[in-house]
Amino acid sequence: QKEVEQNSGPLSVPEGAIASLNCTYSDRGSQSFFWYRQYSGKSPELIMSIYSNGDKEDGRFTAQLNKASQYVSLLIRDSQPSDSATYLCAVGSYNTDKLIFGTGTRLQVFP
Amino acid sequence: GAVVSQHPSRVICKSGTSVKIECRSLDFQATTMFWYRQFPKKSLMLMATSNEGSKATYEQGVEKDKFLINHASLTLSTLTVTSAHPEDSSFYICSASFQGYDYEQYFGPGTRLTVT
């Protein structure tokens, strides 16, 4: 089992819709969770961080964490074509002392 | 805030030569800096973690004598790829954190290395 799993996609949503990106992780000692956006050929850009169970909202983005289910998600409301990118889930754990990245989900927002 | 620069953005070198990549945190002091490598259509792979003033911690399988890391100050870390070979061609990205791995990491723009 991979340490951090994401569906590779592509996830295609129409402009204005809600995009839902999911991530599961295997290490129950994980305590920090991040979502990064990466455009093709560019480096990752931090979108959200979340450390405790529940929802965290920032503008059009909402991160959701459920440690019992070992699940973290990112919702993007009012999706725009400029949101089209690969979204990386990253998880930090005391057991590994590093961030483990998923392979990313490619999001396509079509007009 | 939290801007990280990286230089050069692209470099082409001949096999057997060495290449130095600089990573700077421009508007904050980075206790910890990280070096990643990303191959096409693959995820980020951590190469090493460096804390200012101490030796870098390398991930398993990463040759410390080949990838030399120096974290001389709270705003500067360098990665030197020694005796580069074509298989070292990749996208090298640094990141910096205020505290440690479990806090937000801010990435530099990356360096695309091509070894001919």
Side-chain angles (χ1 to χ4, degrees):
Chain A
Q1 181 188 7
K2 290 182 182 177
E3 294 174 275
V4 178
E5 290 206 57
Q6 295 180 257
N7 188 315
S8 61
L11 172 66
S12 293
V13 300
E15 184 174 358
I18 296 175
S20 178
L21 303 161
N22 304 314
C23 173
T24 58
Y25 59 93
S26 60
D27 186 348
R28 286 200 170 272
S30 301
Q31 80 284 355
S32 55
F33 306 86
F34 306 90
W35 283 99
Y36 287 86
R37 176 175 63 196
Q38 187 174 25
Y39 292 110
S40 181
K42 303 294 185 182
S43 67
E45 175 191 6
L46 181 65
I47 298 295
M48 292 282 287
S49 61
I50 187 166
Y51 298 91
S52 54
N53 279 330
D55 295 0
K56 179 181 178 182
E57 185 174 321
D58 183 1
R60 295 187 296 114
F61 300 97
T62 299
Q64 299 174 317
L65 174 62
N66 185 325
K67 290 185 179 180
S69 301
Q70 295 174 246
Y71 176 95
V72 58
S73 65
L74 179 70
L75 301 179
I76 306 174
R77 288 181 298 281
D78 187 24
S79 295
Q80 301 297 309
S82 58
D83 294 326
S84 298
T86 296
Y87 288 80
L88 302 173
C89 172
V91 177
S93 165
Y94 292 126
N95 293 326
T96 59
D97 285 343
K98 62 184 178 184
L99 281 189
I100 304 296
F101 284 82
T103 52
T105 298
R106 189 157 66 91
L107 173 66
Q108 293 178 335
V109 181
F110 55 92
Chain B
V3 178
V4 178
S5 71
Q6 205 172 323
H7 179 80
S9 58
R10 287 181 182 272
V11 58
I12 301 172
C13 70
K14 294 190 175 185
S15 187
T17 61
S18 296
V19 174
K20 179 185 280 190
I21 302 169
E22 285 190 354
C23 177
R24 292 181 185 272
S25 57
L26 297 184
D27 54 359
F28 68 102
Q29 291 187 325
T31 304
T32 311
M33 287 186 168
F34 307 84
W35 287 94
Y36 293 84
R37 181 167 52 183
Q38 187 175 37
F39 292 105
K41 299 193 185 301
K42 299 293 185 182
S43 190
L44 292 165
M45 294 302 296
L46 179 66
M47 299 176 65
T49 301
S50 74
N51 293 291
E52 184 262 341
S54 60
K55 289 185 177 180
T57 301
Y58 290 81
E59 293 300 300
Q60 193 172 8
V62 177
E63 301 174 57
K64 58 183 68 177
D65 293 333
K66 182 173 183 60
F67 299 99
L68 301 178
I69 292 172
N70 185 290
H71 192 161
S73 74
L74 284 172
T75 59
L76 173 65
S77 178
T78 60
L79 167 69
T80 301
V81 182
T82 62
S83 186
H85 291 285
E87 58 265 30
D88 298 324
S89 299
S90 188
F91 191 38
Y92 291 86
I93 317 173
C94 72
S95 71
S97 172
F98 292 99
Q99 291 186 281
Y101 73 93
D102 55 347
Y103 290 84
E104 287 87 349
Q105 290 184 28
Y106 299 93
F107 284 85
T111 297
R112 196 161 301 280
L113 170 64
T114 302
V115 184
T116 61

